[in-house]
Amino acid sequence: MHSGTPFTQEERRWNRMSETMSHFHEWFKREFNMVYEDHDNVFAKLADGSFSRRGLSLPGYLGEAKSMCTHLNFHHSLEERHIFPVLAKRMSVFSETAEDPRHIRSHRAIHKGLDDLEALVKKWVAEPSTYSPTEMRACLDSFREVLFRHLDEEVDDLKGENMKKYWTLEEVDRIPI
């Protein structure tokens, strides 16, 4: 999000992608943190099994984890199919063939974590008695850092000041998001 200083109409146009992406990304962070921890007490981790003390059953908790996976996978598939190819024409960090395909590489690491999480959720839905808070936390920890870093970096790369290096304002207006 921006610094708090109101944007002019032109600045809003330049920052449209960053601001829009920021809303989605902040929501994904909250969703991840809901699965990982209790919002009322950041030291009480739901992944440690305390979800039942917070009014969630194991199936409800696992449903939240599955929803997070579905939402992130859907978001990334939209980016990879419709947004990244357009941006990659001029911004190498969005290109699969670039020397440093930062966002593509991050997506792959995140998808590995999401695939692992989905496999665990599927296992625990089928056999609830095998649920392991330690295994859940380890899985979430395995991709938390790359996920949060990626969510922030992508928003930064889409900020108006950076977009001006690659695009005209009219071109930015035509980029789908």
Side-chain angles (χ1 to χ4, degrees):
M1 304 284 291
H2 66 84
S3 65
T5 305
F7 285 146
T8 65
Q9 185 176 1
E10 183 174 315
E11 288 170 326
R12 277 193 298 278
R13 289 171 60 201
W14 277 111
N15 285 286
R16 173 185 60 91
M17 292 189 71
S18 176
E19 290 288 311
T20 301
M21 201 65 76
S22 178
H23 291 293
F24 284 109
H25 287 192
E26 291 303 315
W27 185 69
F28 293 133
K29 288 178 188 179
R30 285 191 303 275
E31 193 171 32
F32 184 98
N33 283 332
M34 197 297 295
V35 171
Y36 194 84
E37 63 194 349
D38 175 7
H39 288 293
D40 296 326
N41 179 355
V42 294
F43 301 107
K45 308 298 182 193
L46 292 180
D48 71 0
S50 67
F51 53 83
S52 62
R53 292 193 305 269
R54 306 289 178 224
L56 280 175
S57 64
L58 178 60
Y61 173 69
L62 295 174
E64 293 291 333
K66 175 68 174 149
S67 290
M68 178 190 71
C69 292
T70 300
H71 298 152
L72 275 168
N73 279 322
F74 180 73
H75 175 76
H76 280 178
S77 69
L78 285 174
E79 286 181 330
E80 291 165 5
R81 288 184 186 130
H82 302 287
I83 299 171
F84 283 13
V86 174
L87 295 172
K89 291 175 184 173
R90 297 191 192 159
M91 301 173 78
S92 63
V93 294
F94 292 98
S95 173
E96 234 177 303
T97 59
E99 196 172 300
D100 177 23
R102 182 174 12 135
H103 296 302
I104 302 295
R105 190 176 56 244
S106 293
H107 275 205
R108 288 183 185 137
I110 293 163
H111 286 293
K112 164 82 170 88
L114 292 171
D115 289 346
D116 292 347
L117 180 57
E118 287 179 316
L120 287 174
V121 167
K122 184 177 180 179
K123 176 179 91 169
W124 293 327
V125 165
E127 298 178 54
S129 64
T130 65
Y131 176 73
S132 167
T134 303
E135 200 173 0
M136 177 60 125
R137 292 279 299 282
C139 181
L140 293 169
D141 284 336
S142 75
F143 70 100
R144 184 180 198 196
E145 183 179 332
V146 69
L147 171 65
F148 279 60
R149 183 180 61 246
H150 166 71
L151 294 173
D152 291 339
E153 286 177 346
E154 199 173 272
V155 168
D156 286 343
D157 286 338
L158 295 172
K159 286 184 177 173
E161 285 307 310
N162 191 51
M163 297 296 281
K164 289 175 184 179
K165 298 174 190 173
Y166 304 95
W167 309 94
T168 67
L169 184 53
E170 292 71 28
E171 290 169 327
V172 167
D173 285 341
R174 289 190 302 265
I175 296 174
I177 190 162

